[in-house]
Coordinates of all heavy atoms in Angstrom, one line a residue:
T1535 N -11.0 -4.5 3.0 CA -12.4 -5.2 3.1 C -12.9 -5.0 4.5 O -14.1 -4.6 4.7 CB -12.3 -6.7 2.8 OG1 -11.7 -6.8 1.5 CG2 -13.6 -7.4 2.8
R1536 N -12.1 -5.2 5.6 CA -12.6 -5.0 6.9 C -13.0 -3.6 7.2 O -14.0 -3.3 7.8 CB -11.6 -5.5 7.9 CG -12.2 -5.8 9.3 CD -11.2 -6.4 10.3 NE -10.6 -7.6 9.9 CZ -9.7 -8.3 10.6 NH1 -9.3 -7.8 11.8 NH2 -9.2 -9.4 10.3
L1537 N -12.1 -2.7 6.8 CA -12.4 -1.2 7.1 C -13.7 -0.8 6.4 O -14.5 -0.1 7.0 CB -11.2 -0.4 6.6 CG -11.3 1.1 6.7 CD1 -11.4 1.5 8.2 CD2 -10.2 1.8 6.1
A1538 N -13.8 -1.2 5.1 CA -15.0 -0.8 4.4 C -16.3 -1.4 5.0 O -17.3 -0.7 5.2 CB -14.9 -1.3 2.9
H1539 N -16.2 -2.7 5.5 CA -17.3 -3.3 6.1 C -17.7 -2.6 7.5 O -18.8 -2.2 7.7 CB -17.0 -4.7 6.4 CG -18.0 -5.5 7.1 ND1 -19.2 -5.8 6.5 CD2 -18.1 -5.9 8.4 CE1 -19.9 -6.4 7.5 NE2 -19.3 -6.5 8.6
E1540 N -16.6 -2.3 8.3 CA -16.9 -1.7 9.6 C -17.4 -0.3 9.5 O -18.2 0.2 10.3 CB -15.6 -1.7 10.4 CG -15.3 -3.1 11.0 CD -14.0 -3.2 11.7 OE1 -13.3 -2.1 12.0 OE2 -13.6 -4.3 12.1
Q1541 N -17.0 0.4 8.4 CA -17.4 1.8 8.3 C -18.6 1.9 7.3 O -18.9 3.1 6.9 CB -16.2 2.7 7.8 CG -15.0 2.7 8.8 CD -15.5 3.2 10.1 OE1 -16.1 4.3 10.3 NE2 -15.3 2.4 11.2
N1542 N -19.1 0.8 6.9 CA -20.2 0.8 6.0 C -19.9 1.6 4.7 O -20.8 2.4 4.3 CB -21.4 1.3 6.7 CG -22.7 0.9 6.0 OD1 -22.7 -0.1 5.2 ND2 -23.8 1.6 6.3
I1543 N -18.8 1.4 4.1 CA -18.4 2.1 2.9 C -18.7 1.1 1.7 O -18.1 0.1 1.6 CB -16.9 2.5 2.9 CG1 -16.6 3.3 4.1 CG2 -16.5 3.2 1.6 CD1 -15.1 3.6 4.4
Q1544 N -19.6 1.6 0.9 CA -20.1 0.7 -0.2 C -19.0 0.6 -1.3 O -18.8 -0.5 -1.9 CB -21.3 1.2 -0.8 CG -22.5 1.5 0.1 CD -22.9 0.2 0.9 OE1 -22.8 -0.9 0.4 NE2 -23.2 0.4 2.2
A1545 N -18.4 1.7 -1.6 CA -17.4 1.7 -2.7 C -16.3 2.7 -2.3 O -16.6 3.7 -1.7 CB -18.0 2.1 -4.0
Y1546 N -15.1 2.4 -2.6 CA -14.0 3.3 -2.2 C -12.9 3.4 -3.2 O -12.8 2.6 -4.1 CB -13.5 2.8 -0.8 CG -12.9 1.4 -0.8 CD1 -11.6 1.2 -1.3 CD2 -13.6 0.4 -0.4 CE1 -11.1 -0.1 -1.3 CE2 -13.1 -0.9 -0.4 CZ -11.8 -1.1 -0.9 OH -11.3 -2.4 -0.9
A1547 N -12.0 4.3 -3.0 CA -10.8 4.5 -3.8 C -9.7 4.8 -2.8 O -9.9 5.1 -1.7 CB -11.0 5.6 -4.8
T1548 N -8.5 4.6 -3.3 CA -7.3 4.9 -2.5 C -6.3 5.7 -3.3 O -6.2 5.7 -4.5 CB -6.6 3.7 -2.0 OG1 -6.1 2.9 -3.1 CG2 -7.5 2.8 -1.2
M1549 N -5.4 6.5 -2.5 CA -4.3 7.2 -3.1 C -3.1 7.0 -2.2 O -3.3 6.9 -0.9 CB -4.5 8.7 -3.1 CG -5.6 9.2 -4.0 SD -5.6 11.0 -3.9 CE -4.0 11.5 -4.6
S1550 N -1.9 6.9 -2.8 CA -0.7 6.8 -1.9 C 0.4 7.8 -2.4 O 0.5 8.0 -3.5 CB -0.1 5.4 -2.1 OG -1.0 4.4 -1.7
P1551 N 1.0 8.4 -1.4 CA 2.1 9.4 -1.7 C 3.2 8.7 -2.5 O 3.6 7.6 -2.1 CB 2.6 9.9 -0.4 CG 2.0 9.1 0.7 CD 0.9 8.3 0.1
G1552 N 3.7 9.3 -3.5 CA 4.8 8.7 -4.3 C 4.4 7.7 -5.3 O 5.2 7.2 -6.1
S1553 N 3.1 7.4 -5.4 CA 2.6 6.4 -6.4 C 2.3 7.1 -7.7 O 1.7 8.1 -7.7 CB 1.3 5.8 -5.8 OG 0.9 4.8 -6.7
G1554 N 2.9 6.6 -8.8 CA 2.7 7.2 -10.1 C 3.6 8.4 -10.3 O 4.6 8.5 -9.7
N1555 N 3.1 9.3 -11.2 CA 4.0 10.4 -11.5 C 4.2 11.3 -10.3 O 3.3 11.3 -9.4 CB 3.3 11.2 -12.6 CG 3.5 10.6 -14.0 OD1 3.8 9.5 -14.1 ND2 3.3 11.4 -15.0
L1556 N 5.3 12.0 -10.3 CA 5.7 12.7 -9.1 C 4.7 13.7 -8.6 O 4.6 14.0 -7.4 CB 7.0 13.4 -9.4 CG 8.3 12.6 -9.5 CD1 9.5 13.4 -9.9 CD2 8.5 11.8 -8.2
D1557 N 4.0 14.3 -9.6 CA 3.1 15.4 -9.2 C 1.7 14.9 -8.6 O 0.9 15.7 -8.2 CB 2.8 16.3 -10.4 CG 2.3 15.6 -11.6 OD1 2.4 14.4 -11.6 OD2 1.7 16.3 -12.5
V1558 N 1.4 13.6 -8.7 CA 0.1 13.2 -8.3 C -0.1 13.4 -6.8 O -1.0 14.1 -6.3 CB -0.1 11.7 -8.7 CG1 -1.4 11.2 -8.0 CG2 -0.2 11.5 -10.2
W1559 N 0.9 12.9 -6.0 CA 0.9 13.1 -4.6 C 2.4 13.0 -4.1 O 2.8 11.8 -3.9 CB 0.0 12.2 -3.8 CG -0.1 12.5 -2.3 CD1 0.5 13.5 -1.6 CD2 -0.8 11.7 -1.3 NE1 0.1 13.5 -0.3 CE2 -0.7 12.4 -0.1 CE3 -1.6 10.6 -1.3 CZ2 -1.2 11.9 1.1 CZ3 -2.2 10.1 -0.2 CH2 -2.0 10.8 1.0
P1560 N 3.1 14.1 -4.1 CA 4.6 14.0 -3.9 C 5.0 13.1 -2.7 O 4.4 13.3 -1.6 CB 5.0 15.5 -3.8 CG 3.9 16.2 -4.5 CD 2.6 15.4 -4.3
I1561 N 6.0 12.3 -2.9 CA 6.5 11.4 -1.9 C 6.9 12.1 -0.6 O 6.7 11.5 0.5 CB 7.7 10.5 -2.4 CG1 8.1 9.5 -1.4 CG2 8.8 11.4 -2.8 CD1 7.3 8.3 -1.4
G1562 N 7.3 13.4 -0.7 CA 7.8 14.1 0.5 C 6.6 14.3 1.6 O 6.9 14.4 2.7
Q1563 N 5.4 14.1 1.1 CA 4.3 14.3 2.0 C 4.0 13.1 2.8 O 3.1 13.1 3.6 CB 3.1 14.8 1.2 CG 3.3 16.2 0.6 CD 2.1 16.7 -0.2 OE1 1.0 16.5 0.2 NE2 2.4 17.4 -1.3
Q1564 N 4.7 12.1 2.6 CA 4.7 10.8 3.3 C 4.9 11.1 4.9 O 4.2 10.5 5.7 CB 5.7 9.9 2.8 CG 5.8 8.5 3.4 CD 4.9 7.6 2.7 OE1 3.7 7.5 2.9 NE2 5.4 6.8 1.8
K1565 N 5.8 12.0 5.1 CA 6.1 12.3 6.5 C 4.9 12.9 7.3 O 4.5 12.5 8.4 CB 7.3 13.3 6.7 CG 8.6 12.6 6.3 CD 9.7 13.6 6.5 CE 11.0 12.9 5.9 NZ 12.1 13.8 5.8
K1566 N 4.2 13.8 6.5 CA 3.0 14.4 7.1 C 1.9 13.3 7.3 O 1.1 13.3 8.3 CB 2.4 15.5 6.2 CG 3.2 16.7 6.2 CD 2.4 17.7 5.3 CE 3.1 19.0 5.3 NZ 2.3 19.9 4.4
L1567 N 1.8 12.4 6.4 CA 0.8 11.3 6.5 C 1.1 10.4 7.7 O 0.2 10.1 8.4 CB 0.8 10.5 5.2 CG -0.1 9.3 5.1 CD1 -1.6 9.8 5.1 CD2 0.1 8.4 3.9
F1568 N 2.4 10.1 7.9 CA 2.7 9.3 9.0 C 2.4 10.0 10.3 O 1.9 9.4 11.3 CB 4.2 8.8 9.0 CG 4.4 7.5 8.3 CD1 4.0 7.3 7.0 CD2 5.1 6.5 9.0 CE1 4.2 6.0 6.4 CE2 5.3 5.3 8.4 CZ 4.9 5.0 7.1
A1569 N 2.7 11.3 10.3 CA 2.4 12.1 11.6 C 0.9 12.2 11.8 O 0.5 12.1 12.9 CB 3.0 13.5 11.4
L1570 N 0.2 12.3 10.7 CA -1.3 12.3 10.9 C -1.8 11.0 11.4 O -2.7 11.0 12.3 CB -1.9 12.6 9.5 CG -3.4 12.6 9.4 CD1 -4.0 13.7 10.3 CD2 -3.9 12.8 8.0
I1571 N -1.3 9.9 10.9 CA -1.8 8.6 11.4 C -1.4 8.5 12.9 O -2.2 8.1 13.8 CB -1.2 7.4 10.6 CG1 -1.6 7.5 9.1 CG2 -1.7 6.1 11.2 CD1 -0.8 6.6 8.2

Side-chain angles (χ1 to χ4, degrees):
T1535 303
R1536 199 177 298 180
L1537 179 63
H1539 175 72
E1540 282 174 9
Q1541 297 304 303
N1542 201 19
I1543 302 169
Q1544 308 299 327
Y1546 60 83
T1548 62
M1549 291 183 67
S1550 295
S1553 179
N1555 281 20
L1556 290 177
D1557 58 342
V1558 173
W1559 186 1
I1561 184 78
Q1563 295 182 36
Q1564 182 89 277
K1565 287 181 186 166
K1566 285 184 178 183
L1567 179 67
F1568 267 55
L1570 175 63
I1571 300 168

